[in-house]
């Protein structure tokens, strides 16, 4: 009977440890699937990207970030609109000059405090700060760390598949993995 109590206690301890580990992973790691070509050639449809949640103060110009962009316009103050995760590159930080083509003031005006300018690498297929203006840094979910090579999890045609152009493609959202 003692061994049964010890086994139950050990199982409970393992489950508690697993739950704590899962909680830590969910708070620090983001896994997204790329659907569009706004960041090609660096990230293509079907690429899984691992991101790490970071504080806005740790963002740097040139970082590839996962952004919770709204489908249109701005989210209410203090809120984000989940489900529109996109991958973009930070082009300007608070206080930097606004890049040409980004609304929010005259070219050269400073990026407002608490905001960043994000642009897709493939500008012709990207909906980004050129359409939304500088986005609140609170919309940045995390910094892309690396591509994840998950065998058997490619859900769209491979990189070698011929490109099919679909007119009207604008924003390239990355879908959350869970």
């Amino acid at each position: 009977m003692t061994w049964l109590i010890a086994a139950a206690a050990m199982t409970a301890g393992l489950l508690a440890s697993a739950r704590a580990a899962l909680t830590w992973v969910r708070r620090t790691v983001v896994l997204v699937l790329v659907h569009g070509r706004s960041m090609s050639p660096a990230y293509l449809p079907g690429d899984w990207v691992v991101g790490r949640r970071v504080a806005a103060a740790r963002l740097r110009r040139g970082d590839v970030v996962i952004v919770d962009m709204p489908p249109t316009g701005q989210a209410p103050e203090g809120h984000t609109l989940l489900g529109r995760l996109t991958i973009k590159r930070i082009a300007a930080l608070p206080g930097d000059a606004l890049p040409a083509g980004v609304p929010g003031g005259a070219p050269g005006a400073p990026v407002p405090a608490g905001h960043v300018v994000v642009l897709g690498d493939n500008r012709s297929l990207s909906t980004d700060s050129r359409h939304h203006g500088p986005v609140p840094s609170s919309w940045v979910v995390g910094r892309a760390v690396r591509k994840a090579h998950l065998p058997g999890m490619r859900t769209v045609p491979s990189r070698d598949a011929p490109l099919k152009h679909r007119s009207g493609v604008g924003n390239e959202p990355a879908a959350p993995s869970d």
Side-chain angles (χ1 to χ4, degrees):
M1 185 66 141
T2 309
W3 66 270
L4 187 57
I5 294 172
M10 186 160 50
T11 302
L14 288 173
L15 288 174
S17 295
R19 175 178 249 164
L22 182 59
T23 300
W24 177 83
V25 167
R26 291 187 77 189
R27 287 184 181 162
T28 59
V29 177
V30 179
L31 181 65
V32 294
L33 174 65
V34 177
H35 285 284
R37 298 190 178 276
S38 71
M39 287 298 291
S40 67
Y43 299 96
L44 296 174
D47 286 344
W48 286 91
V49 178
V50 177
R52 182 147 201 257
R53 297 182 193 273
V54 301
R58 299 190 65 192
L59 297 174
R60 300 289 176 251
R61 200 173 306 101
D63 283 349
V64 175
V65 292
I66 301 161
V67 183
D68 188 2
M69 295 285 282
T72 57
Q74 301 278 322
E77 189 62 35
H79 294 86
T80 60
L81 301 173
L82 296 174
R84 299 291 300 178
L85 297 178
T86 61
I87 296 178
K88 304 292 179 199
R89 190 173 305 276
I90 293 182
L93 296 166
D96 290 350
L98 276 175
V102 175
V111 174
H115 290 71
V116 294
V117 173
V118 292
L119 300 173
D121 288 353
N122 186 350
R123 302 285 198 287
S124 65
L125 294 177
S126 181
T127 300
D128 47 38
S129 286
R130 294 169 301 143
H131 305 90
H132 296 281
V135 299
S137 9
S138 63
W139 290 4
V140 176
V141 175
R143 179 185 303 136
V145 176
R146 63 181 5 214
K147 290 181 190 177
H149 299 287
L150 305 171
M153 292 197 63
R154 186 169 284 282
T155 60
V156 294
S158 73
R159 310 175 156 245
D160 302 324
L163 298 177
K164 292 182 182 176
H165 178 65
R166 295 182 312 183
S167 62
V169 174
N171 201 5
E172 315 321 70
S177 63
D178 46 307

